[in-house]
Amino acid sequence: MTGTDWAGWQQSWDRQQEWYMPDREERFRVMLDMVEALVGPKPRVLDLACGTGSITSRLLQRFPDATSTGVDLDPALLAIAEGSFAGDERVTFVTADLKDPAWARSLPYDTYDAVLTATALHWLHSEPLTALYGQLAGLVRDGGVLMNADHMIDEATPRINAAERAHRHAAMDRARGAGALDWAEWWAVAAADPVLAEPTARRFEIYGEHADGDTPSARWHADTLRAAGFGEARPVWASPSDTLLLAVK
């Protein structure tokens, strides 16, 4: 793996994700604002379903004294994350399946100041997500936070939803015309890379082409988190399609 341009892969992943979410950096900024406001500038963070470590990267750039545990099951994205943060003692990565009831046993710490996740938990259906929120309530210390930035769709507003989706996809089509890679194209590039080919193949053995979960409303997430043991929960940022939901233990 020596000589692999991990920074280049990180940037490539970011560009692909920004094709879907042009405001991606804004949600990260607000997420870290709330981390600082509620738990301070030296947090112990669980980067949940961490992927390539996008949240961890921004966390450590802003808070050099933070520590991060990244958890994911995707061997290709974890390879990029591990390569990117190799030698950084502030960062640990754990391979775990969040649907496994025992996944948290692999973590290096019993509690965290903050659990952060973005554009990942919509891969879970509501029942396993409810169970996961219950587990996370046991990992977040009293006064700590959980933040989930993801697709949260209010089914009570179908006309608004349809108009937003049409407008967003028109912008995505224009970006594709300018050379942006979509999800499938990015993975095709990864599969052709000598270093990432094998973990990419294992990734598709685990997930298939795509895993479709649920995208319940922000209200559902807030209610479910309060039922799991968090004292307060509400949106702190939203785009027309996505929400950053903050819960305080």
Side-chain angles (χ1 to χ4, degrees), residues 46 61 94 138 168 177 200 249:
L46 178 60
Q61 288 171 19
V94 173
R168 174 164 44 87
T200 296
K249 181 75 178 291

Side-chain angles (χ1 to χ4, degrees), residues 1-6 9 76 79-80 190-200:
M1 297 173 72
T2 302
T4 299
D5 181 9
W6 297 118
W9 278 109
I80 295 172
D193 182 84
V195 172
L196 291 178
E198 189 274 334
T200 296

Side-chain angles (χ1 to χ4, degrees), residues 155-171:
E155 294 184 357
T157 60
R159 288 182 295 170
I160 294 172
N161 298 347
E164 181 281 323
R165 187 178 189 280
H167 185 267
R168 174 164 44 87
H169 278 259

